[in-house]
Amino acid sequence: MKDFVPSPEMRRVFVPQSELINEPLMLQITYLKCGGAVLGVAVHHTVFDGRFFFHFFQTWSKFTRGTINSTSIPIIIDPPPITLSYNTEYTSFPFSRSKISEPFTTCILTLDENQLNILKTQLSKSAARGTRFSTFQAIASHVWCCICVARNLPPNEEVQLAFAFDFRNVMIPSLPESYMGNAVMRIPVVSTVSRLVSNPIKHGAEKIKETINQVDVENVRSLVDYLETIEVQNLSRRSGLHKTKICVVSWLGMPVYNADFGWGEPGFMARAQMFGTGFVYLIPRPKVDGGINVMISLEVDCMDQFKRLFYEQTIRSAI
């Protein structure tokens, strides 16, 4: 599947379609001439998040193999009562309300284990002693910096990276891994192009880490309170982002390849289509391959430059 590229055609062929907007989950199996099979999935993201999505398929596959146990069953929990007032820090939603319809292109770039180690080693050397960064923080920062340069943004331009944060472990008590629902919040990180470029990887990673450390249960409850006051349709739009913004979604650490229906582990997993410029998905590769796939949608005139910068940094660091 090394030649796979997300596209409207891939979605049309492999993913089930529906005119209804409230279908929580739709599935389609397509058998290929080579003997393989493609499981296409359409999910209502308001109903449940990525972690439960993968948990669902892991549980389903265990049922087919007869290896299910009670700890694998999804758990539905009544949401806790919201006691805090609406918090104004969430009025600035990370996406502009106007739709961006600029032409874009999509690609999947691979970072093998060696390249990942190079990036993380470079980050560790530049950071304060004892500071630890996650793989997500390192890659997201690297992508953010490369995109800013590829887009040729002015040095003083304010830029924003939004990412999806799983708050299961923030809640008191924490939500179980098998919680059935959406326990994800979008968090914006703001900086300037000059700060990102002058401190490649380090500055962005520090900003992301700092933002994550500030999230607590009060932030989550306040956001839930806010979201209950608005229409869901205002949050769900398939359009691109402004040139100063990107959104990074991480599937790292999720059991992406653990859904064994009796045929062995999946050989490949990815989105069928991207819906606009500025979106980035970090997806683990199969265990036998190792490393990470970075799926990105970007303006057509910026993609070649981004690809060059994306790999140039790891090569330079290795010398």
Side-chain angles (χ1 to χ4, degrees):
M1 297 298 293
K2 64 179 181 178
D3 297 326
F4 175 87
V5 177
S7 67
E9 180 64 12
M10 289 293 179
R11 182 170 182 267
R12 185 190 67 79
V13 173
F14 295 117
V15 180
Q17 311 291 317
S18 174
E19 297 299 325
L20 301 177
I21 62 173
N22 58 351
E23 294 284 356
L25 176 69
M26 295 186 295
L27 305 169
Q28 172 184 312
I29 298 179
T30 304
Y31 293 97
L32 307 177
K33 291 182 178 179
C34 65
V38 177
L39 177 58
V41 185
V43 176
H44 198 310
H45 215 331
T46 305
V47 178
F48 46 76
D49 57 24
R51 186 165 296 279
F52 175 75
F53 169 82
F54 290 115
H55 177 82
F56 169 81
F57 282 98
Q58 193 173 17
T59 304
W60 180 18
S61 67
K62 287 181 179 179
F63 267 114
T64 65
R65 303 197 316 274
T67 59
I68 194 68
N69 58 66
S70 60
T71 60
S72 300
I73 303 299
I75 298 175
I76 302 176
I77 300 177
D78 291 332
I82 306 302
T83 58
L84 299 182
S85 61
Y86 163 56
N87 192 329
T88 56
E89 70 180 277
Y90 294 108
T91 55
S92 178
F93 206 70
F95 307 113
S96 62
R97 296 184 64 84
S98 59
K99 290 189 174 182
I100 309 297
S101 57
E102 181 175 354
F104 68 95
T105 184
T106 302
C107 76
I108 300 177
L109 303 178
T110 297
L111 286 175
D112 60 29
E113 294 287 353
N114 182 56
Q115 292 168 319
L116 286 174
N117 289 334
I118 290 173
L119 283 176
K120 295 178 73 173
T121 298
Q122 179 193 10
L123 178 56
S124 297
K125 288 181 179 179
S126 63
R129 177 173 294 184
T131 303
R132 298 177 64 87
F133 294 95
S134 66
T135 300
F136 164 74
Q137 291 161 2
I139 299 177
S141 177
H142 177 53
V143 169
W144 194 12
C145 183
C146 291
I147 288 179
C148 287
V149 176
R151 285 174 164 172
N152 197 29
L153 298 175
N156 62 343
E157 186 78 70
E158 184 176 272
V159 290
Q160 186 180 90
L161 177 150
F163 63 94
F165 177 76
D166 184 341
F167 57 76
R168 282 171 172 76
N169 292 328
V170 173
M171 301 303 294
I172 303 174
S174 60
L175 297 175
E177 284 294 307
S178 55
Y179 167 69
M180 180 179 177
N182 194 329
V184 167
M185 61 192 298
R186 290 177 180 144
I187 302 180
V189 182
V190 179
S191 187
T192 63
V193 173
S194 60
R195 289 179 179 177
L196 285 170
V197 175
S198 61
N199 297 282
I201 305 182
K202 175 178 178 288
H203 176 73
E206 288 178 338
K207 291 285 290 184
I208 295 171
K209 183 180 181 68
E210 175 187 327
T211 302
I212 292 174
N213 290 339
Q214 292 174 350
V215 179
D216 59 21
V217 66
E218 292 193 359
N219 296 136
V220 177
R221 290 176 182 268
S222 182
L223 178 59
V224 172
D225 193 23
Y226 166 55
L227 294 178
E228 287 183 339
T229 68
I230 61 178
E231 295 293 331
V232 173
Q233 292 86 337
N234 292 336
L235 296 180
S236 301
R237 329 181 264 291
R238 291 174 174 173
S239 62
L241 306 179
H242 189 272
K243 269 200 170 187
T244 59
K245 300 178 181 181
I246 67 171
C247 179
V248 181
V249 178
S250 174
W251 291 347
L252 305 181
M254 296 188 188
V256 175
Y257 292 95
N258 288 3
D260 182 356
F261 290 91
W263 306 324
E265 294 182 353
F268 181 78
M269 194 277 180
R271 286 187 59 92
Q273 179 182 1
M274 302 284 264
F275 291 98
T277 182
F279 287 90
V280 181
Y281 283 77
L282 308 183
I283 308 173
R285 287 164 54 79
K287 297 175 184 177
V288 295
D289 298 326
I292 291 172
N293 283 333
V294 179
M295 182 182 299
I296 179 170
S297 56
L298 206 58
E299 298 83 13
V300 176
D301 59 348
C302 297
M303 184 61 86
D304 287 343
Q305 172 75 336
F306 171 79
K307 290 179 181 178
R308 184 184 65 80
L309 293 167
F310 182 79
Y311 286 116
E312 185 181 73
Q313 188 68 47
T314 59
I315 296 173
R316 182 188 301 140
S317 302
I319 298 176

